[in-house]
Amino acid sequence: MRIVILILLFGSLLFGSNYNYVLLKAQATIFPKIMLLDKKLDEKLVDGKIVYTVVYDKSDYKTALEVSKLIKDNHNGRLDKYSYKVNLVELSEFSNETDATAIYALNLEHSINKVANIAKEKGIVTFSYDVENLKKGMLFSLMLEKSTVLYLNKENLHPQKVDFVVSLLQMVEFID
């Protein structure tokens, strides 16, 4: 019993009490690949690179570092033909000036709208740890249910700025 309690305490200290490590790992594997399905990706590169920006709250810095590590471990320095950079940005420093080809937001309870609005202005893809953030303007989320389910908020899909291949749109579960 003591060992179980220690494991739970250690896990919540390392990843925060609100994060599921298996879900973080799945998202770190799948989200960068989804970003590659944007037909207008080349227009969003920063200095010829993909900049995958992870936006986090101050208390989630260790989780953001873990997400960065998971992405680097899964993708070995390249996403398809592109080199990439993982950019960790604390929410208070996030602005229109932040370099990003795509944005992944950890739990940002009250400020997720800020992230979604900036991404919409820039015309870049957004991913959220929490599926509930799709209602607040984020574009994609992933959940592990009976199977892996990729959710897309079709109201936030603006084809003039983000245009995905049809096969992706056939795989997602749409949320209104």
Side-chain angles (χ1 to χ4, degrees), residues 137-152:
M138 301 299 282
L139 192 57
F140 284 101
S141 191
L142 180 96
M143 294 302 299
L144 302 175
E145 297 170 355
K146 288 182 182 180
S147 62
T148 303
V149 180
L150 180 62
Y151 290 100
L152 170 68

Side-chain angles (χ1 to χ4, degrees), residues 103-141:
I103 297 171
Y104 173 68
L106 292 172
N107 287 339
L108 303 173
E109 295 178 32
H110 304 292
S111 301
I112 197 71
N113 292 351
K114 172 185 174 183
V115 174
N117 290 335
I118 289 172
K120 186 176 178 180
E121 282 178 36
K122 290 180 148 202
I124 57 178
V125 180
T126 56
F127 303 100
S128 176
Y129 175 82
D130 187 352
V131 73
E132 291 297 315
N133 290 332
L134 298 185
K135 296 173 185 170
K136 298 175 183 172
M138 301 299 282
L139 192 57
F140 284 101
S141 191

Side-chain angles (χ1 to χ4, degrees), residues 3-47:
I3 292 173
V4 172
I5 291 172
L6 284 174
I7 290 171
L8 291 174
L9 286 174
F10 177 71
S12 67
L13 286 175
L14 187 58
F15 301 114
S17 59
N18 298 326
Y19 295 99
N20 175 323
Y21 177 77
V22 175
L23 181 58
L24 284 173
K25 188 172 182 179
Q27 291 177 344
T29 302
I30 294 170
F31 287 163
K33 292 177 183 178
I34 290 171
M35 175 185 48
L36 294 172
L37 299 175
D38 180 357
K39 293 181 203 174
K40 298 179 180 181
L41 180 63
D42 287 334
E43 298 169 15
K44 299 164 189 155
L45 300 177
V46 178
D47 298 326

Side-chain angles (χ1 to χ4, degrees), residues 38 44 47 54 57 62 70 77 82 91 96 122 133 153 164:
D38 180 357
K44 299 164 189 155
D47 298 326
V54 178
D57 194 33
K62 288 183 180 180
L70 288 168
Y82 304 98
L91 179 61
N96 284 336
K122 290 180 148 202
N133 290 332
N153 184 336
F164 289 106

